[in-house]
Amino acid sequence: MCKFFKKLLKVLLAVTGLLFVVYFWNLDQKLLSWVYMRMNEIFDRKKVDLVF
């Protein structure tokens, strides 16, 4: 039972550390800006049907 709690504590500390790094270096916004640029490249190539 003690091994389980040690393993659980290590996992929780690792997840907390990872979330801190993501927050500290603003990696979530950097990742989303990269995704938006790729999406714009894809959708800007498509021809637009102009229907009035």
Side-chain angles (χ1 to χ4, degrees):
M1 197 66 169
C2 187
K3 286 183 180 181
F4 172 74
F5 286 120
K6 283 184 181 180
K7 194 173 210 176
L8 180 64
L9 181 63
K10 285 181 184 180
V11 169
L12 290 176
L13 287 174
V15 168
T16 303
L18 180 67
L19 289 175
F20 176 75
V21 167
V22 167
Y23 174 76
F24 186 75
W25 278 302
N26 221 9
L27 296 176
D28 54 340
Q29 290 184 4
K30 290 178 183 178
L31 175 65
L32 281 180
S33 70
W34 181 83
V35 169
Y36 286 147
M37 284 190 301
R38 298 291 95 65
M39 286 179 63
N40 283 333
E41 287 176 3
I42 292 169
F43 289 110
D44 285 346
R45 288 186 290 198
K46 290 185 176 180
K47 294 183 179 182
V48 178
D49 293 333
L50 294 176
V51 178
F52 293 103

